[in-house]
Amino acid sequence: LQMYAMSDRRIKHNIADGDAATNAAMDSLAAYSYDYDDKKHGKGKQVGIMAQDLERAGLGHAVTETSEGKAVNGPKVALAVAAMAATLNRRLSKLEGK
């Protein structure tokens, strides 16, 4: 089980501004509260997103199909959330005239 996502600029190519992609992803995602059918996945009320929504939002690279259903790769989602936060910060800075 890999607990990290590679993010070194030196191992990437075709690097471009991601604001359009993160804006589209944010517009496509919704927050949910839910309980798991099988308590081995978590007990009590949970809060999160759905893997299918990630796929529709263009973030399918963070979703893995397992024998029990779709699973989310936490480190890859964390990178996407950090990118979304950066986009939101730029948007807010523009609104504030910075």
Side-chain angles (χ1 to χ4, degrees), residues 20-58:
T22 54
N23 279 321
M26 287 185 286
D27 289 342
S28 300
L29 295 175
Y32 300 95
S33 66
Y34 50 87
D35 296 295
Y36 282 108
D37 295 331
D38 188 331
K39 302 298 182 216
K40 74 178 181 181
H41 298 298
K43 296 177 183 171
K45 190 62 65 185
Q46 307 285 313
V47 177
I49 55 178
M50 301 297 161
Q52 290 85 348
D53 290 350
L54 284 171
E55 290 173 325
R56 282 190 291 277

Side-chain angles (χ1 to χ4, degrees), residues 64-90:
T64 301
E65 188 70 43
T66 75
S67 61
E68 295 183 83
K70 295 178 185 287
V72 175
N73 180 313
K76 288 188 177 185
V77 169
L79 287 175
V81 169
M84 290 178 207
T87 296
L88 287 173
N89 185 59
R90 281 193 292 279

